[in-house]
Amino acid sequence: LISLYKIANDMEKTELVAVARDPDCVNSYYQMTVDDLLERGIISKTDTRLHHGINTGVVLYDLERMRQSSTYQVEVQINSYQKLVDYLDTHKLMLGDQDWFNFLRWKYPNMFRDLPCEYNSFVEGCDHPCLTKPKIKHI
């Protein structure tokens, strides 16, 4: 937990959430959406952090910054989800908070920090690209 605490303390002022990416083996869930957003210029081809989905199994929230962010406060309003889906011109997915955070991250990448891969290591059924010893295993 100390290493996560250090990551939380090192977050930039614009970063509200730190979250790990989905390992490449399960990335296909978001890959069609990412490819479409790249093709239409919605997400940057040079910001490779956005070329995959994220997994909300382990998330660090800066609650104070979330409360203070006017953008975040607008996005948590009930009617904002449909506006976000319309902005991305994508379909609604089915993983609840994880989909919403992915959509939000593609629109507002500066709100998010990537956690290192060892915080979302898949144990089975995956050629995991993470070469670091797992700190949290996703079973």
Side-chain angles (χ1 to χ4, degrees):
L1 290 178
I2 290 172
S3 60
L4 285 173
Y5 178 78
K6 288 179 183 177
I7 291 170
N9 276 345
D10 289 341
M11 288 171 63
E12 300 292 329
K13 290 186 186 287
T14 61
E15 295 171 333
L16 311 179
V17 177
V19 62
R21 69 178 283 175
D22 258 348
D24 290 332
C25 60
V26 295
N27 201 26
S28 60
Y29 179 75
Y30 291 110
Q31 198 57 54
M32 288 176 49
T33 303
V34 167
D35 291 346
D36 179 59
L37 295 175
L38 282 166
E39 184 178 309
R40 292 186 291 120
I42 302 289
I43 59 176
S44 169
K45 292 181 180 180
T46 58
D47 190 351
T48 57
R49 298 177 320 125
L50 304 178
H51 297 182
H52 55 79
I54 54 175
N55 184 286
T56 57
V58 176
V59 184
L60 302 178
Y61 299 101
D62 189 317
L63 298 177
E64 188 62 35
R65 288 185 190 157
M66 291 168 93
R67 290 182 192 110
Q68 292 174 357
S69 169
S70 58
T71 301
Y72 186 82
Q73 290 304 311
V74 167
E75 292 299 334
V76 296
Q77 299 300 312
I78 197 157
N79 62 343
S80 292
Y81 178 72
Q82 186 59 53
K83 290 178 184 176
L84 190 57
V85 169
D86 292 346
Y87 166 77
L88 296 172
D89 191 23
T90 189
H91 57 284
K92 294 178 184 177
L93 299 173
M94 58 187 166
L95 295 179
D97 69 312
Q98 184 165 306
D99 289 340
W100 182 73
F101 275 117
N102 272 286
F103 292 172
L104 200 62
R105 183 170 177 264
W106 290 325
K107 186 173 181 182
Y108 304 105
N110 292 337
M111 284 187 182
F112 291 83
R113 168 163 290 205
D114 286 352
L115 287 176
C117 63
E118 61 262 28
Y119 293 102
N120 193 41
S121 294
F122 275 62
V123 180
E124 296 178 14
C126 182
D127 270 344
H128 199 282
C130 187
L131 302 176
T132 309
K133 181 180 176 184
K135 293 184 179 183
I136 297 175
K137 293 180 182 177
H138 191 139
I139 299 175

